Amino acid sequence: MDWFQTVVLSTVLSASWSAEDLTFPPGFMFGAATAAYQVEGAWNVSDKGESAWDRYTHEHPEKIKDHSNGDIACDSYHLWRRDIEMAVELGLHFYRFSISWPRLLPSGYPNYISEDGKNYYSNLIDGLLEKGIEPFVTMYHWDLPQSLQDLGGWTNPLVADWFYDYARVVFTLYGDRVKWWLTINEPLVMCDFVYNNGILAPPIMSPELGAYLCSKNVLVAHAKAWRLYDEEFRPKYNGKVSVANHHVWFDPLTPDDAELAELAREDCVGKYTHPIFSTTGGWPPSIEKVMEEVSLKRGYKSSSLPAFTPEEIALVRGTYDFYAMNHYTSRLIRKAKEGETFTAWPLGDAVDLGGIVQRRADWPLSTSFWFYVYPEGIRRQLVWLRKQYGNLEFVITENGLSTYAGLDDQDRIDYYKNYLRQILLAIKEDGVNVTGYTAWTLMDNFEWMDGYATKLGLYEVDYLDPQRKRTPRASARFYADLIKKHALDSVTVAPPNVTIV
Ligand code: BGC
């Protein structure tokens, strides 16, 4: 029996909720998501180039929980028709998937476009549209061509031009049919997780420099791609482009830690959103200040967070058509005591901010070591974002629970219900303009350092079957029903104050 089954006594609270309260606004879109490296497999089929994740998992199987890799994964490269069928079974309005840069451009550069790569995504897009499902395309979900990684990857400022060239190919090939675009998935993970923790690809530890070079380059890369779309493709195709950020919500441990919690929000989220969504642009002033102080203390001559030039500030500011929010989990933060030691941020403590990060005792732990369940966090995060940047169009581009195997995943259903209820509260009580929701994930897949050991899928995938049979879980039926009714049929809440070890 897993933690949620043990602990969560689902309580129906419909008494205080009218049917209207449980209904999503007209036009609200529901989707599900995957990412290329996590599902496609076919890592060296046809002329596909090697990605940084291919290299990492092949050279460091010991870094992955079950020593696995994405060589075959769900084999979606061959089984994409079944993936579309699943999207139809669920009644999805859109399917979010990502394009593998080295599958399309094997060398990383646009000197050569793979015919098979091009056709693969084209068929997937056409297949979805035939069924009335919108393709919602992420251009980059962490599988950088190894050729570009060898040149410094996201720490090399030239990456912004490499990404711009790749973006032009993608928009040219698919812009006529794709109306929803995400340039880059989760700069926080690509930069802070990677260079601070050394546990994702590329395995490079550079907490004091690499993480910040990456932070700036990723923003400039996104902005160049957005401006390219805006100037050359929007007039013809009229689609929407944004960047998907990862949001960990921070609460202060005590009232004394309120300022620190705000700083943590700026560091985790604001660092990647203030430059784009604020009216002033550039780094959040509070983070700029802290980084300067910390860098000087560490003996650097200037801040490790590279400054934007005035031209770069103008280039990045305003490069969005909607706000894309990935959210899973929350944290508490408190000031570190004299001499207390830190573990690395963002999976551990907020070293630069002098903050110790922890969870509240009643937040259950999922099967991912970083992931505690706190449904209110999503609402509070949305309200914070609206306060910072105004009432933009918000789309939840990822949300879901990691569990053990099994088809009867009541725990996942509870998670979805609880988080969706908070989104409804944000819409109806706080007036936040949320227009879409994306379940992560359509099917079990390669869960990065957890390999195949952790499950997040609405569909279970049988990895022992060469056909990678996909079977709907109870949560798939729940989700299909929710989409059909356009409403939750009841709300469940976890009992408060339960301590789970
Ligand atoms: C990533 C997904 C990942 C999910 C669950 C997100 O941050 O975008 O690729 O599978 O978290 O770990």
Side-chain angles (χ1 to χ4, degrees):
M1 195 175 265
D2 66 38
W3 59 265
F4 222 107
Q5 284 163 325
T6 319
V7 169
V8 175
L9 309 165
S10 298
T11 316
V12 178
L13 282 189
S14 315
S16 55
W17 280 71
S18 68
E20 193 195 325
D21 290 337
L22 295 173
T23 303
F24 286 84
F28 190 93
M29 311 170 296
F30 287 99
T34 59
Y37 187 75
Q38 295 181 271
V39 299
E40 281 179 8
W43 80 278
N44 61 355
V45 165
S46 183
D47 47 6
K48 178 180 169 290
E50 185 188 21
S51 78
W53 268 93
D54 293 324
R55 176 72 63 90
Y56 178 57
T57 52
H58 293 157
E59 288 191 349
H60 294 285
E62 78 286 355
K63 297 267 194 175
I64 310 299
K65 208 183 215 168
D66 55 5
H67 294 195
S68 64
N69 55 51
D71 287 4
I72 303 176
C74 307
D75 202 16
S76 284
Y77 183 73
H78 296 108
L79 301 174
W80 56 273
R81 288 183 186 82
R82 172 68 184 127
D83 296 349
I84 295 176
E85 231 171 70
M86 291 164 5
V88 171
E89 285 164 13
L90 292 170
L92 300 185
H93 302 130
F94 65 88
Y95 175 44
R96 178 184 168 212
F97 63 92
S98 79
I99 292 180
S100 160
W101 184 342
R103 188 177 301 287
L104 196 59
L105 303 183
S107 69
Y109 295 96
N111 60 324
Y112 168 72
I113 300 173
S114 160
E115 200 54 26
D116 284 347
K118 184 174 109 182
N119 291 337
Y120 172 64
Y121 297 110
S122 194
N123 290 336
L124 180 56
I125 290 167
D126 287 344
L128 288 165
L129 288 171
E130 267 167 36
K131 299 288 181 191
I133 299 166
E134 283 289 327
F136 199 126
V137 176
T138 315
M139 292 159 61
Y140 180 78
H141 199 124
W142 308 351
D143 43 358
L144 192 71
Q146 182 61 38
S147 55
L148 304 183
Q149 185 54 55
D150 291 338
L151 301 177
W154 290 99
T155 62
N156 184 339
L158 289 175
V159 74
D161 293 327
W162 303 333
F163 187 72
Y164 173 89
D165 291 341
Y166 164 60
R168 179 183 290 286
V169 174
V170 172
F171 291 144
T172 304
L173 291 177
Y174 310 122
D176 56 341
R177 288 160 286 164
V178 175
K179 302 296 169 201
W180 289 89
W181 293 101
L182 293 168
T183 52
I184 291 168
N185 186 66
E186 299 185 346
L188 177 81
V189 176
M190 288 162 53
C191 300
D192 303 55
F193 277 43
V194 165
Y195 294 101
N196 285 344
N197 297 285
I199 56 170
L200 296 166
I204 298 169
M205 284 285 280
S206 178
E208 291 182 10
L209 294 171
Y212 305 111
L213 296 175
C214 174
S215 305
K216 177 176 171 186
N217 296 336
V218 95
L219 285 159
V220 175
H222 155 78
K224 287 194 171 185
W226 187 90
R227 295 212 175 272
L228 168 67
Y229 188 86
D230 194 47
E231 281 153 28
E232 296 185 30
F233 295 89
R234 188 192 305 284
K236 280 184 281 189
Y237 301 136
N238 203 25
K240 297 187 186 191
V241 185
S242 196
V243 55
N245 276 301
H246 186 100
H247 299 71
V248 178
W249 172 251
F250 281 88
D251 269 338
L253 180 70
T254 70
D256 275 358
D257 301 308
E259 213 176 298
L260 179 61
E262 186 61 13
L263 206 54
R265 292 169 200 144
E266 290 287 18
D267 200 29
C268 180
V269 173
K271 199 162 63 189
Y272 298 108
T273 52
H274 191 275
I276 297 174
F277 297 92
S278 72
T279 48
T280 46
W283 301 118
S286 58
I287 295 303
E288 217 164 21
K289 181 163 169 274
V290 169
M291 283 309 303
E292 169 119 40
E293 286 165 12
V294 169
S295 307
L296 297 181
K297 248 193 234 153
R298 287 178 182 153
Y300 296 101
K301 282 204 286 224
S302 58
S303 178
S304 305
L305 188 67
F308 286 111
T309 63
E311 292 74 29
E312 286 168 340
I313 290 179
L315 173 80
V316 177
R317 190 181 51 216
T319 54
Y320 66 88
D321 300 307
F322 64 101
Y323 192 103
M325 172 174 162
N326 295 358
H327 174 86
Y328 292 86
T329 192
S330 295
R331 292 287 187 278
L332 296 178
I333 191 162
R334 66 165 170 82
K335 287 180 205 127
K337 299 186 186 106
E338 210 37 50
E340 202 168 355
T341 47
F342 296 95
T343 55
W345 164 261
L347 290 175
D349 298 312
V351 183
D352 293 341
L353 314 183
I356 300 289
V357 173
Q358 53 192 69
R359 74 163 146 147
R360 219 170 69 188
D362 63 341
W363 292 350
L365 176 63
S366 73
T367 54
S368 305
F369 71 96
W370 53 270
F371 183 174
Y372 311 118
V373 178
Y374 177 53
E376 287 84 347
I378 198 165
R379 177 182 181 186
R380 306 189 60 182
Q381 184 72 71
L382 282 164
V383 170
W384 186 84
L385 288 168
R386 195 204 33 194
K387 185 171 143 257
Q388 301 293 105
Y389 310 123
N391 206 3
L392 313 170
E393 175 179 8
F394 290 95
V395 178
I396 309 297
T397 37
E398 281 184 33
N399 181 238
L401 179 68
S402 63
T403 65
Y404 297 111
L407 291 175
D408 185 17
D409 56 344
Q410 199 52 48
D411 41 11
R412 180 168 290 104
I413 295 175
D414 285 336
Y415 180 95
Y416 280 132
K417 280 189 176 182
N418 280 311
Y419 276 69
L420 282 161
R421 170 177 168 256
Q422 293 298 325
I423 292 168
L424 278 173
L425 284 167
I427 296 171
K428 301 197 174 201
E429 304 223 330
D430 309 323
V432 183
N433 181 28
V434 187
T435 63
Y437 177 84
T438 316
W440 183 274
T441 171
L442 179 61
M443 65 193 130
D444 292 343
N445 54 49
F446 179 79
E447 178 48 24
W448 310 114
M449 63 268 190
D450 278 349
Y452 299 101
T454 279
K455 318 287 180 188
L456 284 108
L458 292 166
Y459 282 71
E460 180 184 76
V461 175
D462 180 358
Y463 298 106
L464 299 175
D465 177 354
Q467 282 311 306
R468 295 295 193 270
K469 183 163 188 261
R470 288 109 155 101
T471 309
R473 293 203 161 97
S475 58
R477 279 184 284 277
F478 157 78
Y479 200 52
D481 192 53
L482 163 80
I483 295 174
K484 201 155 139 211
K485 292 190 177 125
H486 209 67
L488 287 169
D489 56 2
S490 65
V491 284
T492 55
V493 289
N497 304 322
V498 180
T499 304
I500 297 113
V501 184

